Amino acid sequence: MSERTPAPAPDRTVLLRRGEVHSPADPFATAMVVEGGSVAWVGSEGAADSFADGVDEVIDLDGALVTPAFTDAHVHTTATGLALTGLDLSDTRSLSGALERIRSFAAARPADRVLLGHGWDASAWPEGRPPSRTELDEATGGRPLYLSRIDVHSAAVTTALQDLVPGLRERAGFDPAGPLTGDAHHAVRQAAYDTVTPAQRADAQAAALAHAASLGIGTVHECAGPEISGEDDLTALLARAAAGDGPRVVGYWGELITTAKDAERIRKLGAVGAAGDLFADGSLGSHTAHLCTPYADAAHTGNALLDADTVAAHVAACTEAGLQAGFHAIGDAGLTAVVDGVRTAADRVGLDRVRAARHRIEHCEMLTPATISGFAELALTASVQPSFDALWGGEHGMYATRLGAERARTLNPYAALLKAGVPLALGSDSPVTPLDPWGTVRAAVFHRTPGHGISARAAFTAHTRGGWRAVGRDDAGILVPGAPADYAVWHTGELLVQAPDERVERWSTDPRSGTPGLPDLTPGQELPRCLRTVVGGRTVFQRPNE
């Protein structure tokens, strides 16, 4: 894996003891030794005595849980930081409340050239509609405002921002009064983000990475691209990660390639793949995901942004160049085009080579038995976001509104993916849903649709080791001798072995199972609190006074 990693850890040895260490090497481990940037030993409390006099530091865990650090496999770091430090509407409960927050934000930021905000979701508001351009003009006093929907596939903007983009009204996706989608949205987003200064960007990236570290996240996969952020944004983020004071960052650049020269340019950016948010379609919330049959609440099938031939050319070029390929695909038609294209590429360059490349698909929500089979055949990694289901699933959620209840029940079939042998990597798509690793694992276990949930063990593995495997590393994301010392320390309650089926839970605390336990993730239970996060042997977060 060619991610930008933190600087080497100090040449020192640390013993952690008197806790619970989540390790397949010893399901009853209570202690761990770290030498430099690697795990050196995992074992019992009695054996730890033999190390105590020969280490540089002893950390008394006082019963705390030690796990591998989480990997968030889909993040937009700068946008996450801007949401953390700026106008975030994700918790607003009404249109009127959103407009009031916009007024207050505009008044407090008189010097901003363009006001930036994120997170509105009209499907959750009693008014049932997004803000109009006229309402936004009034709320901002006529200033430029870019306000992305929660899925980041459409945006509400003011007249002043529209006026900054020549030819905007002729672009696909333009709406004179409502939110913009497609090319029109991409154009206003670029105009808005071009006003972010290097200092603002640096502050946003620092805030996002510090927040990730405070949640036990040791690695993030940055899904950048020409329609998402910019080359300067990606290279600045990778340089920050290389400084060594925060989580690792693995960079992806979502741009089509067809030649070796194209591939070399991707590498020069520092990206490990031409993947991530390389859009095959849009999103369900914005009615832009590509469907086989029309939406239940709109008389169209969304946007087809890539066809199978284009997918095939990209995947073949990436495979030949030794790069990962990948796509954003959500709708059943979009996913079919991607699977068909990857299969065509395999016919050209060889199935074994395509499988070995570990190409990946982001989101992959509206899968069918045929596309699940295709994922397994082609060894495609499913990079998924369980919090989408927690937020929009269920009989009366946004998915059911967009698709009808029957089709909505097919979404995010994690159990079927695992049963077919498809590797999973979990993430947040932050700022679409918050950085929240234990909440993400909980959402995968307690899926809104019966039969789609997976065990806590499988979900936890997908959110730790799965992220490493997704970038070609099978030796990490796990606490065993020789693995990178990327771990987190947690304050939590009783540990158990949890599955969606309550018949399994009844024996879950039996120590004879020999399976490392995890915190109780039942909805309503308090989630673990991160006390310390370590990346490559370096502490990147420590909770004060603990």
Side-chain angles (χ1 to χ4, degrees), residues 417-503:
L417 285 165
L418 285 183
K419 185 177 180 180
V422 176
L424 296 183
L426 303 193
S428 63
D429 198 8
S430 180
V432 175
T433 61
L435 298 170
D436 179 14
W438 285 113
T440 297
V441 174
R442 171 187 279 173
V445 178
F446 296 96
H447 199 289
R448 300 284 293 274
T449 301
H452 287 343
I454 58 179
S455 71
R457 182 184 182 190
F460 178 79
T461 298
H463 212 349
T464 50
R465 198 173 189 185
W468 286 88
R469 285 173 166 167
V471 293
R473 287 283 298 272
D474 294 329
D475 61 340
I478 184 171
L479 298 180
V480 296
D486 287 26
Y487 62 89
V489 181
W490 306 92
H491 173 77
T492 189
E494 181 185 14
L495 304 182
L496 47 81
V497 180
Q498 196 166 28
D501 189 331
E502 64 177 10
R503 292 171 299 177

Side-chain angles (χ1 to χ4, degrees), residues 27-189:
F28 311 112
T30 62
M32 181 171 74
V33 173
V34 172
E35 290 183 351
S38 300
V39 176
W41 173 84
V42 175
S44 66
E45 192 59 38
D49 290 336
S50 63
F51 292 98
D53 292 336
V55 300
D56 299 299
E57 181 183 4
V58 176
I59 297 176
D60 186 341
L61 294 170
D62 192 22
L65 171 67
V66 181
T67 71
F70 285 100
T71 293
D72 193 309
H74 193 120
V75 174
H76 304 287
T77 306
T78 301
T80 296
L82 290 171
L84 287 169
T85 60
L87 175 58
D88 182 3
L89 300 182
S90 59
D91 62 346
T92 53
R93 296 290 175 261
S94 67
L95 172 59
S96 59
L99 291 171
E100 185 55 41
R101 190 173 297 184
I102 292 166
R103 289 188 190 95
S104 298
F105 182 79
R109 306 290 281 263
D112 288 7
R113 292 173 56 197
V114 173
L115 300 166
L116 300 173
H118 168 73
W120 60 271
D121 184 1
S123 69
W125 292 345
E127 296 91 344
R129 67 172 180 85
S132 69
R133 181 164 56 88
T134 301
E135 288 169 328
L136 293 178
D137 287 346
E138 183 277 327
T140 60
R143 295 169 63 190
L145 167 71
Y146 171 80
L147 194 63
S148 53
R149 190 184 182 278
I150 192 168
D151 59 7
V152 201
H153 283 268
S154 59
V157 304
T158 56
T159 303
L161 181 58
Q162 290 187 10
D163 290 344
L164 295 178
V165 184
L168 178 66
R169 288 159 181 78
E170 286 70 51
R171 289 179 177 263
F174 178 79
D175 186 318
L180 308 184
T181 62
D183 288 345
H185 172 222
H186 299 156
V188 294
R189 176 166 56 194

Side-chain angles (χ1 to χ4, degrees), residues 130-525:
S132 69
R133 181 164 56 88
T134 301
E135 288 169 328
L136 293 178
D137 287 346
E138 183 277 327
T140 60
R143 295 169 63 190
L145 167 71
Y146 171 80
L147 194 63
S148 53
R149 190 184 182 278
I150 192 168
D151 59 7
V152 201
H153 283 268
S154 59
V157 304
T158 56
T159 303
L161 181 58
Q162 290 187 10
D163 290 344
L164 295 178
V165 184
L168 178 66
R169 288 159 181 78
E170 286 70 51
R171 289 179 177 263
F174 178 79
D175 186 318
L180 308 184
T181 62
D183 288 345
H185 172 222
H186 299 156
V188 294
R189 176 166 56 194
Q190 181 174 347
Y193 275 62
D194 281 349
T195 67
V196 175
T197 67
Q200 285 176 304
R201 181 174 61 207
D203 288 346
Q205 292 176 350
L209 293 176
H211 183 55
S214 76
L215 299 171
I217 297 171
T219 302
V220 299
H221 294 182
E222 167 67 16
C223 292
E227 295 181 353
I228 293 293
S229 49
E231 294 183 4
D232 289 347
D233 186 83
L234 175 62
T235 55
L237 176 63
L238 294 176
R240 173 174 290 277
D245 58 355
R248 304 174 191 263
V249 176
V250 180
Y252 287 94
W253 184 252
E255 186 172 359
L256 290 169
I257 73 167
T258 57
T259 68
K261 184 177 180 180
D262 293 338
E264 184 58 29
R265 193 177 69 79
I266 299 292
R267 284 199 181 88
K268 285 182 177 178
L269 289 175
V272 302
D277 275 338
L278 177 49
F279 297 110
D281 66 353
S283 75
L284 292 167
S286 291
H287 291 102
T288 52
H290 187 206
L291 311 185
C292 292
T293 56
Y295 286 87
D297 61 348
H300 61 81
T301 58
N303 298 346
L305 303 179
L306 298 176
D307 60 22
D309 289 342
T310 304
V311 169
H314 178 74
V315 172
C318 286
T319 305
E320 294 277 13
L323 277 178
Q324 275 188 295
F327 305 90
H328 161 122
I330 286 179
D332 50 359
L335 283 159
T336 297
V338 167
V339 170
D340 288 349
V342 178
R343 187 176 287 116
T344 298
D347 291 340
R348 293 179 189 172
V349 302
L351 177 60
D352 288 346
R353 293 181 69 191
V354 166
R355 289 175 60 88
R358 303 193 190 192
H359 303 310
R360 54 187 283 172
I361 312 301
E362 310 301 315
H363 316 310
C364 38
E365 293 195 85
M366 207 172 173
L367 289 158
T368 64
T371 48
I372 291 173
S373 177
F375 271 53
E377 170 198 353
L378 300 162
L380 297 173
T381 295
S383 171
V384 298
Q385 296 75 39
S387 291
F388 287 8
D389 174 72
L391 185 59
W392 297 311
E395 292 296 306
H396 305 290
M398 184 271 286
Y399 291 149
T401 300
R402 293 288 184 269
L403 302 172
E406 183 176 350
R407 277 193 294 177
R409 292 188 197 104
T410 70
L411 264 59
N412 302 302
Y414 304 139
L417 285 165
L418 285 183
K419 185 177 180 180
V422 176
L424 296 183
L426 303 193
S428 63
D429 198 8
S430 180
V432 175
T433 61
L435 298 170
D436 179 14
W438 285 113
T440 297
V441 174
R442 171 187 279 173
V445 178
F446 296 96
H447 199 289
R448 300 284 293 274
T449 301
H452 287 343
I454 58 179
S455 71
R457 182 184 182 190
F460 178 79
T461 298
H463 212 349
T464 50
R465 198 173 189 185
W468 286 88
R469 285 173 166 167
V471 293
R473 287 283 298 272
D474 294 329
D475 61 340
I478 184 171
L479 298 180
V480 296
D486 287 26
Y487 62 89
V489 181
W490 306 92
H491 173 77
T492 189
E494 181 185 14
L495 304 182
L496 47 81
V497 180
Q498 196 166 28
D501 189 331
E502 64 177 10
R503 292 171 299 177
V504 178
E505 274 186 71
R506 289 174 186 162
W507 55 262
S508 63
T509 57
D510 188 338
R512 292 172 297 178
S513 68
T515 301
L518 288 167
D520 184 356
L521 300 176
T522 305
Q525 292 287 333

